[in-house]
Amino acid sequence: MRTKEKVWWAVIGVAIVVYALFPVAWIVSLSLKSPADISNGQFLPTKTTWENYQTILTGSASDLFLPALRNSFGICLIATAISCLLAMFAAYAIARLDFPGKKLILSTALGVAIFPVISIVTPLFNLWRQIGLYDTWPGLIIPYLSLTLPLSIWTLSAFFREIPWEMEQAAQVDGATSWQAFRKVIVPLAAPGVFTTAIIAFFIAWNDFVYGISLTSTGASRPVPAALGLFSGASQFESPVGAISAAAVIVTIPVVVLVLIFQRRIVAGLTNGAVKG
């Protein structure tokens, strides 16, 4: 490219980065402001304070935030593990086997993925209360599977299609069973796709608000997004903007850490199969 084109691409890239990171920087700034400094209209705090972080970690809001943080980690990790395990078997069958209704399964999975969550919350709320799953970890893990499993199947089926049949057949010729060939040959080769799928599924479950606020009522299973909606100020006239911003920063840290640690696998997984041959 010519120098002028490089400059324009650099300017566009910087503009996109600033546009994407400005809300994050604003939330971090709000989390470091005192209650009297929140509405002054300035981007940077006039005096940096850690009061909001103390409130959610050791203060009055810790009883609401810390159990919710534990619940989110546990529920999302379990939902992600189950989703990836089931998606591996389903995607392998879709990619390798020829059976009637294969396209219908993929179409149904796509339909479930785009189905509006709010339309099924009310019947799910009534059903969960009747069978005893309301306000429990399984009561959130099962709905989270409906969010993560369809996308996991779609993503992993694309990876399994790219793995040559000959490698699995060679393992079977050497004496491996179908299960051994799948476990020792296919799954390791699909590791980038599995990592990518697991991280995306974890993010989807981690960010859910509708199920969390509708299917829980106590700290026994309430996740972080739902807990943030229940924050209150020191009085009815005080808005908990600072505490919510501090909690949002802490909740964002695991996502950032996961992306930084597995960024190469994410990129490898997302680009795998983009070019054939």
Side-chain angles (χ1 to χ4, degrees), residues 49-82:
T49 177
W50 299 96
E51 177 183 352
N52 297 315
Y53 290 93
Q54 293 175 355
T55 299
I56 63 173
L57 295 177
T58 60
S60 57
S62 61
D63 293 339
L64 179 61
F65 178 73
L66 294 181
L69 190 63
R70 182 194 67 234
N71 292 335
S72 283
F73 270 113
I75 292 171
C76 294
L77 287 175
I78 294 174
T80 300
I82 297 175

PDB file of all heavy atoms in Angstrom, residues 49-82:
ATOM      1  N   THR A  49     -10.618   7.602  44.438  1.00  0.00           N
ATOM      2  CA  THR A  49     -10.985   6.913  45.668  1.00  0.00           C
ATOM      3  C   THR A  49     -11.298   5.452  45.371  1.00  0.00           C
ATOM      4  O   THR A  49     -11.790   5.124  44.290  1.00  0.00           O
ATOM      5  CB  THR A  49     -12.206   7.583  46.323  1.00  0.00           C
ATOM      6  OG1 THR A  49     -12.579   6.839  47.492  1.00  0.00           O
ATOM      7  CG2 THR A  49     -13.388   7.625  45.376  1.00  0.00           C
ATOM      8  N   TRP A  50     -10.978   4.590  46.329  1.00  0.00           N
ATOM      9  CA  TRP A  50     -11.257   3.169  46.208  1.00  0.00           C
ATOM     10  C   TRP A  50     -12.476   2.776  47.037  1.00  0.00           C
ATOM     11  O   TRP A  50     -12.692   1.602  47.312  1.00  0.00           O
ATOM     12  CB  TRP A  50     -10.050   2.345  46.652  1.00  0.00           C
ATOM     13  CG  TRP A  50      -8.848   2.607  45.820  1.00  0.00           C
ATOM     14  CD1 TRP A  50      -7.827   3.468  46.098  1.00  0.00           C
ATOM     15  CD2 TRP A  50      -8.535   2.025  44.544  1.00  0.00           C
ATOM     16  NE1 TRP A  50      -6.893   3.458  45.098  1.00  0.00           N
ATOM     17  CE2 TRP A  50      -7.295   2.575  44.124  1.00  0.00           C
ATOM     18  CE3 TRP A  50      -9.164   1.090  43.722  1.00  0.00           C
ATOM     19  CZ2 TRP A  50      -6.695   2.222  42.922  1.00  0.00           C
ATOM     20  CZ3 TRP A  50      -8.559   0.737  42.531  1.00  0.00           C
ATOM     21  CH2 TRP A  50      -7.345   1.300  42.136  1.00  0.00           C
ATOM     22  N   GLU A  51     -13.269   3.753  47.373  1.00  0.00           N
ATOM     23  CA  GLU A  51     -14.428   3.508  48.234  1.00  0.00           C
ATOM     24  C   GLU A  51     -15.428   2.553  47.597  1.00  0.00           C
ATOM     25  O   GLU A  51     -16.010   1.702  48.267  1.00  0.00           O
ATOM     26  CB  GLU A  51     -15.103   4.842  48.560  1.00  0.00           C
ATOM     27  CG  GLU A  51     -16.368   4.741  49.395  1.00  0.00           C
ATOM     28  CD  GLU A  51     -17.035   6.078  49.618  1.00  0.00           C
ATOM     29  OE1 GLU A  51     -16.435   7.107  49.250  1.00  0.00           O
ATOM     30  OE2 GLU A  51     -18.160   6.091  50.145  1.00  0.00           O
ATOM     31  N   ASN A  52     -15.639   2.705  46.290  1.00  0.00           N
ATOM     32  CA  ASN A  52     -16.616   1.846  45.610  1.00  0.00           C
ATOM     33  C   ASN A  52     -16.173   0.383  45.610  1.00  0.00           C
ATOM     34  O   ASN A  52     -16.999  -0.522  45.783  1.00  0.00           O
ATOM     35  CB  ASN A  52     -16.812   2.325  44.173  1.00  0.00           C
ATOM     36  CG  ASN A  52     -17.398   3.718  44.101  1.00  0.00           C
ATOM     37  OD1 ASN A  52     -18.350   4.038  44.822  1.00  0.00           O
ATOM     38  ND2 ASN A  52     -16.836   4.569  43.255  1.00  0.00           N
ATOM     39  N   TYR A  53     -14.887   0.133  45.430  1.00  0.00           N
ATOM     40  CA  TYR A  53     -14.385  -1.234  45.462  1.00  0.00           C
ATOM     41  C   TYR A  53     -14.459  -1.813  46.873  1.00  0.00           C
ATOM     42  O   TYR A  53     -14.765  -3.002  47.049  1.00  0.00           O
ATOM     43  CB  TYR A  53     -12.945  -1.277  44.947  1.00  0.00           C
ATOM     44  CG  TYR A  53     -12.832  -1.009  43.467  1.00  0.00           C
ATOM     45  CD1 TYR A  53     -12.607   0.283  42.995  1.00  0.00           C
ATOM     46  CD2 TYR A  53     -12.979  -2.029  42.542  1.00  0.00           C
ATOM     47  CE1 TYR A  53     -12.508   0.542  41.635  1.00  0.00           C
ATOM     48  CE2 TYR A  53     -12.883  -1.781  41.174  1.00  0.00           C
ATOM     49  CZ  TYR A  53     -12.656  -0.491  40.737  1.00  0.00           C
ATOM     50  OH  TYR A  53     -12.572  -0.245  39.382  1.00  0.00           O
ATOM     51  N   GLN A  54     -14.190  -0.989  47.870  1.00  0.00           N
ATOM     52  CA  GLN A  54     -14.321  -1.449  49.253  1.00  0.00           C
ATOM     53  C   GLN A  54     -15.769  -1.790  49.584  1.00  0.00           C
ATOM     54  O   GLN A  54     -16.045  -2.743  50.328  1.00  0.00           O
ATOM     55  CB  GLN A  54     -13.795  -0.382  50.199  1.00  0.00           C
ATOM     56  CG  GLN A  54     -12.299  -0.139  50.104  1.00  0.00           C
ATOM     57  CD  GLN A  54     -11.837   1.016  50.966  1.00  0.00           C
ATOM     58  OE1 GLN A  54     -12.649   1.722  51.577  1.00  0.00           O
ATOM     59  NE2 GLN A  54     -10.525   1.227  51.020  1.00  0.00           N
ATOM     60  N   THR A  55     -16.703  -1.024  48.997  1.00  0.00           N
ATOM     61  CA  THR A  55     -18.124  -1.268  49.268  1.00  0.00           C
ATOM     62  C   THR A  55     -18.562  -2.638  48.775  1.00  0.00           C
ATOM     63  O   THR A  55     -19.304  -3.357  49.468  1.00  0.00           O
ATOM     64  CB  THR A  55     -18.979  -0.178  48.602  1.00  0.00           C
ATOM     65  OG1 THR A  55     -18.617   1.101  49.138  1.00  0.00           O
ATOM     66  CG2 THR A  55     -20.466  -0.424  48.842  1.00  0.00           C
ATOM     67  N   ILE A  56     -18.104  -3.042  47.580  1.00  0.00           N
ATOM     68  CA  ILE A  56     -18.577  -4.307  47.013  1.00  0.00           C
ATOM     69  C   ILE A  56     -17.744  -5.499  47.473  1.00  0.00           C
ATOM     70  O   ILE A  56     -18.198  -6.638  47.383  1.00  0.00           O
ATOM     71  CB  ILE A  56     -18.585  -4.244  45.479  1.00  0.00           C
ATOM     72  CG1 ILE A  56     -17.168  -4.048  44.935  1.00  0.00           C
ATOM     73  CG2 ILE A  56     -19.507  -3.134  44.990  1.00  0.00           C
ATOM     74  CD1 ILE A  56     -17.068  -4.139  43.438  1.00  0.00           C
ATOM     75  N   LEU A  57     -16.528  -5.260  47.956  1.00  0.00           N
ATOM     76  CA  LEU A  57     -15.668  -6.367  48.364  1.00  0.00           C
ATOM     77  C   LEU A  57     -15.678  -6.611  49.867  1.00  0.00           C
ATOM     78  O   LEU A  57     -15.610  -7.767  50.308  1.00  0.00           O
ATOM     79  CB  LEU A  57     -14.229  -6.117  47.895  1.00  0.00           C
ATOM     80  CG  LEU A  57     -14.016  -6.095  46.382  1.00  0.00           C
ATOM     81  CD1 LEU A  57     -12.568  -5.770  46.051  1.00  0.00           C
ATOM     82  CD2 LEU A  57     -14.428  -7.413  45.745  1.00  0.00           C
ATOM     83  N   THR A  58     -15.750  -5.570  50.653  1.00  0.00           N
ATOM     84  CA  THR A  58     -15.729  -5.724  52.115  1.00  0.00           C
ATOM     85  C   THR A  58     -16.816  -4.945  52.818  1.00  0.00           C
ATOM     86  O   THR A  58     -16.983  -5.089  54.020  1.00  0.00           O
ATOM     87  CB  THR A  58     -14.364  -5.279  52.680  1.00  0.00           C
ATOM     88  OG1 THR A  58     -14.134  -3.897  52.356  1.00  0.00           O
ATOM     89  CG2 THR A  58     -13.232  -6.129  52.100  1.00  0.00           C
ATOM     90  N   GLY A  59     -17.554  -4.110  52.087  1.00  0.00           N
ATOM     91  CA  GLY A  59     -18.540  -3.239  52.714  1.00  0.00           C
ATOM     92  C   GLY A  59     -19.945  -3.779  52.672  1.00  0.00           C
ATOM     93  O   GLY A  59     -20.181  -4.993  52.673  1.00  0.00           O
ATOM     94  N   SER A  60     -20.883  -2.862  52.577  1.00  0.00           N
ATOM     95  CA  SER A  60     -22.303  -3.216  52.691  1.00  0.00           C
ATOM     96  C   SER A  60     -22.806  -4.050  51.514  1.00  0.00           C
ATOM     97  O   SER A  60     -23.773  -4.799  51.654  1.00  0.00           O
ATOM     98  CB  SER A  60     -23.139  -1.936  52.801  1.00  0.00           C
ATOM     99  OG  SER A  60     -22.916  -1.088  51.678  1.00  0.00           O
ATOM    100  N   ALA A  61     -22.174  -3.912  50.334  1.00  0.00           N
ATOM    101  CA  ALA A  61     -22.632  -4.647  49.154  1.00  0.00           C
ATOM    102  C   ALA A  61     -21.913  -5.969  48.950  1.00  0.00           C
ATOM    103  O   ALA A  61     -22.199  -6.682  47.985  1.00  0.00           O
ATOM    104  CB  ALA A  61     -22.470  -3.781  47.907  1.00  0.00           C
ATOM    105  N   SER A  62     -20.983  -6.304  49.844  1.00  0.00           N
ATOM    106  CA  SER A  62     -20.218  -7.545  49.660  1.00  0.00           C
ATOM    107  C   SER A  62     -21.096  -8.784  49.811  1.00  0.00           C
ATOM    108  O   SER A  62     -20.873  -9.794  49.130  1.00  0.00           O
ATOM    109  CB  SER A  62     -19.063  -7.595  50.668  1.00  0.00           C
ATOM    110  OG  SER A  62     -19.555  -7.585  51.998  1.00  0.00           O
ATOM    111  N   ASP A  63     -22.097  -8.719  50.679  1.00  0.00           N
ATOM    112  CA  ASP A  63     -22.993  -9.868  50.858  1.00  0.00           C
ATOM    113  C   ASP A  63     -23.826 -10.149  49.612  1.00  0.00           C
ATOM    114  O   ASP A  63     -24.303 -11.264  49.418  1.00  0.00           O
ATOM    115  CB  ASP A  63     -23.918  -9.638  52.052  1.00  0.00           C
ATOM    116  CG  ASP A  63     -23.170  -9.616  53.372  1.00  0.00           C
ATOM    117  OD1 ASP A  63     -22.053 -10.162  53.422  1.00  0.00           O
ATOM    118  OD2 ASP A  63     -23.690  -9.027  54.340  1.00  0.00           O
ATOM    119  N   LEU A  64     -23.994  -9.141  48.766  1.00  0.00           N
ATOM    120  CA  LEU A  64     -24.743  -9.315  47.522  1.00  0.00           C
ATOM    121  C   LEU A  64     -23.825  -9.670  46.359  1.00  0.00           C
ATOM    122  O   LEU A  64     -24.160 -10.518  45.528  1.00  0.00           O
ATOM    123  CB  LEU A  64     -25.519  -8.036  47.200  1.00  0.00           C
ATOM    124  CG  LEU A  64     -26.358  -8.019  45.913  1.00  0.00           C
ATOM    125  CD1 LEU A  64     -27.440  -9.085  45.954  1.00  0.00           C
ATOM    126  CD2 LEU A  64     -26.971  -6.643  45.697  1.00  0.00           C
ATOM    127  N   PHE A  65     -22.644  -9.046  46.318  1.00  0.00           N
ATOM    128  CA  PHE A  65     -21.761  -9.192  45.152  1.00  0.00           C
ATOM    129  C   PHE A  65     -20.924 -10.468  45.189  1.00  0.00           C
ATOM    130  O   PHE A  65     -20.846 -11.197  44.192  1.00  0.00           O
ATOM    131  CB  PHE A  65     -20.845  -7.973  45.045  1.00  0.00           C
ATOM    132  CG  PHE A  65     -19.874  -8.049  43.902  1.00  0.00           C
ATOM    133  CD1 PHE A  65     -20.305  -7.890  42.590  1.00  0.00           C
ATOM    134  CD2 PHE A  65     -18.534  -8.278  44.134  1.00  0.00           C
ATOM    135  CE1 PHE A  65     -19.417  -7.973  41.537  1.00  0.00           C
ATOM    136  CE2 PHE A  65     -17.632  -8.358  43.094  1.00  0.00           C
ATOM    137  CZ  PHE A  65     -18.074  -8.191  41.791  1.00  0.00           C
ATOM    138  N   LEU A  66     -20.291 -10.765  46.305  1.00  0.00           N
ATOM    139  CA  LEU A  66     -19.363 -11.899  46.355  1.00  0.00           C
ATOM    140  C   LEU A  66     -20.058 -13.246  46.137  1.00  0.00           C
ATOM    141  O   LEU A  66     -19.554 -14.081  45.367  1.00  0.00           O
ATOM    142  CB  LEU A  66     -18.600 -11.884  47.682  1.00  0.00           C
ATOM    143  CG  LEU A  66     -17.648 -10.689  47.879  1.00  0.00           C
ATOM    144  CD1 LEU A  66     -16.937 -10.788  49.219  1.00  0.00           C
ATOM    145  CD2 LEU A  66     -16.647 -10.615  46.741  1.00  0.00           C
ATOM    146  N   PRO A  67     -21.202 -13.523  46.789  1.00  0.00           N
ATOM    147  CA  PRO A  67     -21.900 -14.783  46.457  1.00  0.00           C
ATOM    148  C   PRO A  67     -22.331 -14.858  44.994  1.00  0.00           C
ATOM    149  O   PRO A  67     -22.278 -15.928  44.379  1.00  0.00           O
ATOM    150  CB  PRO A  67     -23.110 -14.784  47.397  1.00  0.00           C
ATOM    151  CG  PRO A  67     -22.716 -13.895  48.524  1.00  0.00           C
ATOM    152  CD  PRO A  67     -21.873 -12.826  47.907  1.00  0.00           C
ATOM    153  N   ALA A  68     -22.738 -13.711  44.436  1.00  0.00           N
ATOM    154  CA  ALA A  68     -23.128 -13.703  43.027  1.00  0.00           C
ATOM    155  C   ALA A  68     -21.942 -13.992  42.120  1.00  0.00           C
ATOM    156  O   ALA A  68     -22.072 -14.686  41.108  1.00  0.00           O
ATOM    157  CB  ALA A  68     -23.743 -12.348  42.669  1.00  0.00           C
ATOM    158  N   LEU A  69     -20.766 -13.475  42.483  1.00  0.00           N
ATOM    159  CA  LEU A  69     -19.569 -13.739  41.698  1.00  0.00           C
ATOM    160  C   LEU A  69     -19.216 -15.225  41.739  1.00  0.00           C
ATOM    161  O   LEU A  69     -18.867 -15.827  40.719  1.00  0.00           O
ATOM    162  CB  LEU A  69     -18.414 -12.899  42.241  1.00  0.00           C
ATOM    163  CG  LEU A  69     -17.130 -12.863  41.408  1.00  0.00           C
ATOM    164  CD1 LEU A  69     -17.388 -12.235  40.044  1.00  0.00           C
ATOM    165  CD2 LEU A  69     -16.044 -12.086  42.153  1.00  0.00           C
ATOM    166  N   ARG A  70     -19.333 -15.824  42.916  1.00  0.00           N
ATOM    167  CA  ARG A  70     -19.083 -17.263  43.042  1.00  0.00           C
ATOM    168  C   ARG A  70     -20.093 -18.059  42.222  1.00  0.00           C
ATOM    169  O   ARG A  70     -19.726 -19.017  41.527  1.00  0.00           O
ATOM    170  CB  ARG A  70     -19.158 -17.668  44.509  1.00  0.00           C
ATOM    171  CG  ARG A  70     -18.872 -19.147  44.755  1.00  0.00           C
ATOM    172  CD  ARG A  70     -19.293 -19.564  46.144  1.00  0.00           C
ATOM    173  NE  ARG A  70     -20.740 -19.514  46.292  1.00  0.00           N
ATOM    174  CZ  ARG A  70     -21.379 -18.847  47.248  1.00  0.00           C
ATOM    175  NH1 ARG A  70     -20.707 -18.167  48.148  1.00  0.00           N
ATOM    176  NH2 ARG A  70     -22.701 -18.843  47.311  1.00  0.00           N
ATOM    177  N   ASN A  71     -21.352 -17.666  42.292  1.00  0.00           N
ATOM    178  CA  ASN A  71     -22.381 -18.367  41.529  1.00  0.00           C
ATOM    179  C   ASN A  71     -22.118 -18.276  40.029  1.00  0.00           C
ATOM    180  O   ASN A  71     -22.276 -19.272  39.295  1.00  0.00           O
ATOM    181  CB  ASN A  71     -23.757 -17.783  41.846  1.00  0.00           C
ATOM    182  CG  ASN A  71     -24.197 -18.067  43.264  1.00  0.00           C
ATOM    183  OD1 ASN A  71     -23.760 -19.035  43.881  1.00  0.00           O
ATOM    184  ND2 ASN A  71     -25.060 -17.223  43.798  1.00  0.00           N
ATOM    185  N   SER A  72     -21.738 -17.102  39.557  1.00  0.00           N
ATOM    186  CA  SER A  72     -21.495 -16.934  38.123  1.00  0.00           C
ATOM    187  C   SER A  72     -20.353 -17.817  37.651  1.00  0.00           C
ATOM    188  O   SER A  72     -20.453 -18.469  36.599  1.00  0.00           O
ATOM    189  CB  SER A  72     -21.187 -15.461  37.813  1.00  0.00           C
ATOM    190  OG  SER A  72     -22.351 -14.683  37.812  1.00  0.00           O
ATOM    191  N   PHE A  73     -19.261 -17.843  38.412  1.00  0.00           N
ATOM    192  CA  PHE A  73     -18.138 -18.690  38.020  1.00  0.00           C
ATOM    193  C   PHE A  73     -18.551 -20.164  37.970  1.00  0.00           C
ATOM    194  O   PHE A  73     -18.289 -20.867  36.988  1.00  0.00           O
ATOM    195  CB  PHE A  73     -16.968 -18.516  38.996  1.00  0.00           C
ATOM    196  CG  PHE A  73     -16.013 -17.439  38.601  1.00  0.00           C
ATOM    197  CD1 PHE A  73     -15.888 -16.287  39.360  1.00  0.00           C
ATOM    198  CD2 PHE A  73     -15.237 -17.562  37.467  1.00  0.00           C
ATOM    199  CE1 PHE A  73     -15.001 -15.290  39.002  1.00  0.00           C
ATOM    200  CE2 PHE A  73     -14.346 -16.573  37.094  1.00  0.00           C
ATOM    201  CZ  PHE A  73     -14.231 -15.432  37.868  1.00  0.00           C
ATOM    202  N   GLY A  74     -19.196 -20.637  39.024  1.00  0.00           N
ATOM    203  CA  GLY A  74     -19.568 -22.045  39.082  1.00  0.00           C
ATOM    204  C   GLY A  74     -20.574 -22.427  38.013  1.00  0.00           C
ATOM    205  O   GLY A  74     -20.381 -23.421  37.282  1.00  0.00           O
ATOM    206  N   ILE A  75     -21.636 -21.654  37.882  1.00  0.00           N
ATOM    207  CA  ILE A  75     -22.699 -21.978  36.928  1.00  0.00           C
ATOM    208  C   ILE A  75     -22.187 -21.898  35.498  1.00  0.00           C
ATOM    209  O   ILE A  75     -22.460 -22.786  34.669  1.00  0.00           O
ATOM    210  CB  ILE A  75     -23.901 -21.042  37.143  1.00  0.00           C
ATOM    211  CG1 ILE A  75     -24.564 -21.331  38.494  1.00  0.00           C
ATOM    212  CG2 ILE A  75     -24.915 -21.192  36.015  1.00  0.00           C
ATOM    213  CD1 ILE A  75     -25.626 -20.324  38.881  1.00  0.00           C
ATOM    214  N   CYS A  76     -21.432 -20.848  35.180  1.00  0.00           N
ATOM    215  CA  CYS A  76     -20.956 -20.670  33.800  1.00  0.00           C
ATOM    216  C   CYS A  76     -19.921 -21.726  33.419  1.00  0.00           C
ATOM    217  O   CYS A  76     -19.918 -22.207  32.285  1.00  0.00           O
ATOM    218  CB  CYS A  76     -20.379 -19.273  33.624  1.00  0.00           C
ATOM    219  SG  CYS A  76     -21.599 -17.953  33.770  1.00  0.00           S
ATOM    220  N   LEU A  77     -19.057 -22.096  34.342  1.00  0.00           N
ATOM    221  CA  LEU A  77     -18.068 -23.128  34.043  1.00  0.00           C
ATOM    222  C   LEU A  77     -18.737 -24.487  33.805  1.00  0.00           C
ATOM    223  O   LEU A  77     -18.379 -25.216  32.867  1.00  0.00           O
ATOM    224  CB  LEU A  77     -17.053 -23.228  35.182  1.00  0.00           C
ATOM    225  CG  LEU A  77     -16.041 -22.084  35.291  1.00  0.00           C
ATOM    226  CD1 LEU A  77     -15.188 -22.252  36.538  1.00  0.00           C
ATOM    227  CD2 LEU A  77     -15.166 -22.012  34.044  1.00  0.00           C
ATOM    228  N   ILE A  78     -19.711 -24.821  34.646  1.00  0.00           N
ATOM    229  CA  ILE A  78     -20.417 -26.094  34.471  1.00  0.00           C
ATOM    230  C   ILE A  78     -21.210 -26.097  33.163  1.00  0.00           C
ATOM    231  O   ILE A  78     -21.179 -27.070  32.396  1.00  0.00           O
ATOM    232  CB  ILE A  78     -21.343 -26.362  35.670  1.00  0.00           C
ATOM    233  CG1 ILE A  78     -20.514 -26.565  36.939  1.00  0.00           C
ATOM    234  CG2 ILE A  78     -22.214 -27.589  35.412  1.00  0.00           C
ATOM    235  CD1 ILE A  78     -21.344 -26.684  38.200  1.00  0.00           C
ATOM    236  N   ALA A  79     -21.918 -25.008  32.889  1.00  0.00           N
ATOM    237  CA  ALA A  79     -22.690 -24.921  31.652  1.00  0.00           C
ATOM    238  C   ALA A  79     -21.782 -24.993  30.428  1.00  0.00           C
ATOM    239  O   ALA A  79     -22.117 -25.650  29.429  1.00  0.00           O
ATOM    240  CB  ALA A  79     -23.506 -23.629  31.633  1.00  0.00           C
ATOM    241  N   THR A  80     -20.619 -24.349  30.498  1.00  0.00           N
ATOM    242  CA  THR A  80     -19.685 -24.380  29.379  1.00  0.00           C
ATOM    243  C   THR A  80     -19.131 -25.781  29.157  1.00  0.00           C
ATOM    244  O   THR A  80     -19.035 -26.262  28.017  1.00  0.00           O
ATOM    245  CB  THR A  80     -18.536 -23.395  29.626  1.00  0.00           C
ATOM    246  OG1 THR A  80     -19.065 -22.069  29.756  1.00  0.00           O
ATOM    247  CG2 THR A  80     -17.546 -23.424  28.475  1.00  0.00           C
ATOM    248  N   ALA A  81     -18.766 -26.463  30.239  1.00  0.00           N
ATOM    249  CA  ALA A  81     -18.210 -27.819  30.114  1.00  0.00           C
ATOM    250  C   ALA A  81     -19.240 -28.778  29.520  1.00  0.00           C
ATOM    251  O   ALA A  81     -18.926 -29.559  28.601  1.00  0.00           O
ATOM    252  CB  ALA A  81     -17.752 -28.306  31.482  1.00  0.00           C
ATOM    253  N   ILE A  82     -20.465 -28.733  30.022  1.00  0.00           N
ATOM    254  CA  ILE A  82     -21.511 -29.618  29.496  1.00  0.00           C
ATOM    255  C   ILE A  82     -21.813 -29.284  28.041  1.00  0.00           C
ATOM    256  O   ILE A  82     -21.978 -30.181  27.196  1.00  0.00           O
ATOM    257  CB  ILE A  82     -22.778 -29.518  30.358  1.00  0.00           C
ATOM    258  CG1 ILE A  82     -22.505 -30.000  31.783  1.00  0.00           C
ATOM    259  CG2 ILE A  82     -23.915 -30.318  29.740  1.00  0.00           C
ATOM    260  CD1 ILE A  82     -23.671 -29.818  32.724  1.00  0.00           C
TER     261      ILE A  82
END
